[in-house]
Amino acid sequence: MFSKNIKYNFKLKTAFLVVFSVCFQFSVLAQNQAWKPASFEVVKSNYKTFKTTQYAHVFSGSKHNIVRLSPELQGLQGVELPLNVYKNGTNTALQLKFKEPVQVLIGVFKENNTEYLQADKLQNAKLVLENGVTITGLPPVNVYAISYPKGTQTIHPGKGLFAVLGVAKNNQELAFRNAALPDGNLWNPTYIVEGFSDEKPLFEIIGGENKPVVEEGMPGTEGIQGGFEGGRVVKVGDTYHMFPTERAGEKGVDYYYDRVKTRIGHWTSKDAIHWKRESTIYQASGTYALTEDDNPMNDRRAAIWSYMPVFNEKANKWYGYYLAYTVSKEIEPNHSFGRIWRCESTVEGIDGIGGPYKDMGIIMEPGLDSEPWEGRQGVASFFPYKVGDKYFGFYSGAYPFNSWADYPKKSGKGWFVALAESKSLEGPWSRIKEGNNPIKTMHPFFVENPIVSQLPNGLYIAIFDGGPDGWGHHLPNMIAYSLSKDGKNWQEARYLPIETKVDKWWDIMRTPLCLIPEGNDVYTIVYAGIDLKRRFHPMGMVKVKLNKDVMESRLQELKRE
C-alpha cells in the first residue's frame, strides 16, 4: 500500500510538473507574440511610415536601421521621423489620426543627452519593453506605451529624438519584460541597406533558392568535411563554372583543420542550382609551419584559397589567380603570409576553363614593399580587372600590424583592400602607393574578397563579403557592393538584405562568388553561408534585378564628386 501511494504521488507530481511546464511555456510564448496593430494616418506632414521589421529604416536623413527586434513589435507600423530636426528640437509636433483608442509605442534611447528624449519627461507612459529594439549606431532602446483616444492626436512626449515604433490596439495587455537586446552603438559605423534607406535601391532582390544549392551529402561533397568558402563563378555559354574553396579537412580530425587542408574544386551547372563536381584544380598540403615567422623552411602552400579564373583574350586562355598560405597552429590567424599565384590552363580557348592548369609563379607576396596594414595574413586575396589600357588588381590584408615592430605575432583586427597595377595580366604587379592605402571609402575596416565587373553604363562594380554579425563582430552580415566611375576610386558600400525575399538558412553570410548578367537586367549571385549549428558550410543562390534609372543617377552622382 505504501509503495502504491508513493507511485501514485510520483505520477501525480509528474503530471502536475508537465502541466505546469506546458502552461509556463505557453504563457511565455503568448507574452512574446506580436501585439495587434491599430491603423492610423499621418496628418499634415509628408513623413513616411515603415513596417517594424529587421532592417527597418527608422529615421529619415540617416543610415540607422533596426538590427534586433522584440517579437512583440514585429509587423507593427512605425513613423519615419527626420533625425536632425528631432535631435535639435526644431521639429513640429507629429499628428496622427486614430479610428479607435490606441497605444502608441515610443522608443526612448537610454542616453543622458539633450539630443535624446529623456524618460523622466514622459507622462502617462508605461514601460513595456526594456532593451526592446536595437538600432544601428544608437544607444539601447526602452519601449513605452502611451494611450491615446480616437481622433486626431498630437504625439509630442517631449524634446529630443525618440522613435515611433508602432501603434497597437488598446484592448490588449502589453506585458512588461526585459528583451535584453544589445546596444546599437556596437554596430558602428552605420551603413546603407538596399531598400531600407532614403535612396532608391540599385538592385531589387527578386528571389532565389530557399535552401542551399550545394549541401552536405549531395554528390560531389564526399570528402569535404567543412563545406565551402569564397572563389568565383563564371558563365561560359549556357554553363556555369564554379571554383570554390573546399574546406576538405580530414575525417576524424576536428573542424579547425577544415580551413587548413583545403582544395580548389571545379563544379558545373546549367541553372546555378543543380551542380556537378568535375575535378580538383589544386589540393593544399595541410602541413603546419615549423617557425612563427615567414620562413622558407615552412610549407608556404599549406592552405589554398580564393581561386579567381579570368579569361585572357590576348593569350586566348584562362588564367587562374589563387592564394596560398603558411599555416600556424599557435598564432591567430592560423593563415599567415599569403602569396598570390598565377596559373594558366593548358587547353587554349574559352572552353579550356576546366584546365588542367599549370603554375606560372608568384605575382604578389610579403616583401620590402609590403605595408603594416597588410598584416599577418596578407597578401590575403587578389582579383584583376581591366581599366582602359592597363589592369588594376584588388589585393587584401588582414590582422594588421600597427608597425613592423609588431611582426610577426602582435596583430590587430581589420580586413582591408588596396590596388595593384600592371600593364598585363601576366604582370609584373606593383602596389599603388598614393598615401590612401588601404581603401577605406568602401568600409573603414571590413572588405573581403571583392570581385569586379562592369554595369551596362560602364560603372565598375565590386561585390564582396560585408562582414559577419557574429564571432564577436557586429558587421552588416550581408553581401555588399561598391561602385566606381574609374575603377580606382570606390564609393561607400551598399548591403543586400537577401533574406527579405528568400528563406534565411544561414546565420553568417559569407562571400559572394559572382554577379552574372542573365539578360533583362537580372543577375545571378552564388554565395557561401554558415549555419553555426553545423560544421558543413553550404552554398546558396539568389537573383537580383538592376534598376537602370538608379544606375544612371549613381553615375551622375559619381561624376559630380
Side-chain angles (χ1 to χ4, degrees):
M1 185 70 179
F2 183 73
S3 175
K4 288 182 179 179
N5 282 339
I6 290 177
K7 290 179 181 179
Y8 176 80
N9 288 335
F10 176 77
K11 289 180 180 179
L12 195 62
K13 288 179 181 178
T14 301
F16 172 78
L17 288 173
V18 169
V19 172
F20 176 80
S21 176
V22 170
C23 290
F24 177 76
Q25 291 177 29
F26 180 79
S27 174
V28 171
L29 182 63
Q31 182 181 357
N32 295 352
Q33 286 181 340
W35 291 327
K36 296 175 183 177
S39 61
F40 66 91
E41 62 181 271
V42 181
V43 179
K44 295 180 181 179
S45 78
N46 59 355
Y47 293 171
K48 296 178 182 178
T49 60
F50 62 84
K51 189 175 182 180
T52 309
T53 60
Q54 189 176 29
Y55 306 129
H57 188 228
V58 183
F59 301 109
S60 60
S62 81
K63 292 183 284 188
H64 300 296
N65 295 83
I66 291 174
V67 286
R68 298 284 192 278
L69 182 68
S70 297
E72 293 93 329
L73 301 173
Q74 182 70 37
L76 296 176
Q77 190 175 33
V79 180
E80 195 175 294
L81 304 179
L83 180 81
N84 289 331
V85 295
Y86 270 79
K87 269 195 168 186
N88 62 29
T90 60
N91 58 289
T92 57
L94 174 67
Q95 288 190 313
L96 302 180
K97 185 176 181 180
F98 308 119
K99 295 180 180 179
E100 60 182 309
V102 300
Q103 300 177 77
V104 177
L105 299 164
I106 302 294
V108 177
F109 297 97
K110 298 164 67 173
E111 179 77 18
N112 187 18
N113 186 314
T114 57
E115 291 183 334
Y116 298 99
L117 171 67
Q118 298 301 298
D120 59 5
K121 304 298 182 185
L122 292 172
Q123 294 183 355
N124 302 316
K126 175 187 175 185
L127 178 62
V128 291
L129 288 172
E130 189 173 353
N131 303 304
V133 63
T134 301
I135 302 174
T136 56
L138 290 173
V141 181
N142 286 343
V143 181
Y144 290 82
I146 303 177
S147 296
Y148 289 92
K150 176 182 176 181
T152 300
Q153 307 296 333
T154 298
I155 313 301
H156 190 61
K159 188 176 179 180
L161 184 68
F162 59 90
V164 179
L165 297 169
V167 178
K169 289 182 177 293
N170 199 50
N171 60 352
Q172 61 185 316
E173 175 65 23
L174 308 185
F176 168 81
R177 75 181 182 96
N178 185 347
L181 296 181
D183 184 346
N185 284 311
L186 295 171
W187 281 260
N188 200 353
T190 53
Y191 46 87
I192 299 170
V193 182
E194 286 271 276
F196 295 89
S197 73
D198 292 333
E199 64 183 31
K200 291 182 179 178
L202 179 63
F203 291 105
E204 177 192 358
I205 298 136
I206 58 175
E209 293 301 294
N210 291 317
K211 59 183 180 180
V213 295
V214 187
E215 176 62 284
E216 185 175 17
M218 289 182 176
T221 62
E222 303 86 358
I224 304 175
Q225 318 307 316
F228 303 93
E229 235 305 297
R232 193 183 187 196
V233 177
V234 296
K235 193 175 184 182
V236 178
D238 63 352
T239 302
Y240 299 87
H241 295 262
M242 177 169 66
F243 296 84
T245 302
E246 297 177 349
R247 305 170 73 253
E250 284 187 6
K251 287 185 178 180
V253 180
D254 203 359
Y255 68 90
Y256 72 87
Y257 197 54
D258 299 347
R259 62 197 306 270
V260 176
K261 192 169 185 178
T262 59
R263 68 189 187 200
I264 304 301
H266 174 211
W267 297 66
T268 59
S269 174
K270 294 294 185 181
D271 56 9
I273 299 171
H274 304 91
W275 291 90
K276 177 186 176 184
R277 193 178 192 279
E278 301 287 351
S279 65
T280 298
I281 303 297
Y282 283 104
Q283 171 72 61
S285 71
T287 304
Y288 283 104
L290 300 174
T291 69
E292 295 173 340
D293 60 342
D294 188 14
N295 192 311
M297 290 176 60
N298 300 324
D299 186 339
R300 289 174 168 173
R301 295 173 63 90
I304 292 176
W305 289 74
S306 192
Y307 187 90
M308 299 292 176
V310 177
F311 187 68
N312 185 337
E313 292 183 359
K314 185 177 179 181
N316 191 34
K317 62 175 61 175
W318 284 93
Y319 287 4
Y321 300 83
Y322 66 93
L323 166 63
Y325 282 122
T326 300
V327 179
S328 170
K329 204 168 190 176
E330 307 297 334
I331 302 175
E332 185 184 8
N334 56 1
H335 293 154
S336 305
F337 314 124
R339 287 172 163 81
I340 305 299
W341 286 74
R342 185 179 74 83
C343 60
E344 294 182 2
S345 175
T346 59
V347 179
E348 291 190 352
I350 195 76
D351 294 326
I353 187 169
Y357 287 82
K358 63 178 180 179
D359 281 325
M360 304 304 294
I362 295 169
I363 63 164
M364 288 193 77
E365 63 181 327
L368 295 177
D369 57 347
S370 297
E371 297 178 289
W373 67 265
E374 295 177 33
R376 170 107 185 161
Q377 202 168 62
V379 181
S381 72
F382 186 81
F383 186 86
Y385 56 99
K386 192 173 185 181
V387 177
D389 60 355
K390 64 181 177 181
Y391 290 88
F392 288 148
F394 270 118
Y395 71 96
S396 68
Y399 293 83
F401 301 121
N402 286 328
S403 71
W404 288 122
D406 292 336
Y407 173 90
K409 291 185 179 181
K410 190 179 177 182
S411 60
K413 292 293 177 68
W415 292 259
F416 302 105
V417 294
L419 289 174
E421 62 182 346
S422 175
K423 293 180 180 179
S424 71
L425 282 169
E426 292 84 4
W429 291 87
S430 58
R431 292 164 169 84
I432 298 176
K433 294 187 178 180
E434 298 176 349
N436 59 350
N437 281 347
I439 298 169
K440 294 187 177 182
T441 53
M442 300 160 80
H443 187 279
F445 61 88
F446 198 102
V447 177
E448 196 166 54
N449 296 316
I451 295 174
V452 179
S453 55
Q454 282 187 278
L455 297 177
N457 67 348
L459 274 176
Y460 295 88
I461 182 167
I463 186 168
F464 57 92
D465 177 354
D469 181 1
W471 303 324
H473 305 291
H474 296 283
L475 288 157
N477 204 33
M478 288 177 271
I479 292 167
Y481 75 85
S482 175
L483 300 177
S484 171
K485 66 181 178 182
D486 57 9
K488 188 174 184 181
N489 299 286
W490 291 89
Q491 194 179 50
E492 179 182 0
R494 273 71 171 169
Y495 297 84
L496 301 176
I498 67 175
E499 62 266 42
T500 60
K501 292 293 177 68
V502 300
D503 292 346
K504 185 181 179 185
W505 53 262
W506 64 91
D507 295 305
I508 292 179
M509 172 60 67
R510 290 308 317 267
T511 312
L513 281 75
C514 59
L515 182 67
I516 296 175
E518 307 287 11
N520 298 319
D521 302 322
V522 172
Y523 290 76
T524 296
I525 301 172
V526 177
Y527 60 91
I530 298 175
D531 178 348
L532 291 172
K533 297 182 293 297
R534 304 172 52 207
R535 177 174 179 172
F536 193 95
H537 299 173
M539 303 289 284
M541 187 276 282
V542 68
K543 299 277 190 179
V544 297
K545 188 174 181 67
L546 175 72
N547 185 319
K548 283 188 173 178
D549 291 337
V550 175
M551 176 183 68
E552 287 301 324
S553 66
R554 296 278 182 89
L555 175 60
Q556 298 309 314
E557 176 187 331
L558 285 167
K559 285 181 176 179
R560 290 192 294 270
E561 291 180 355

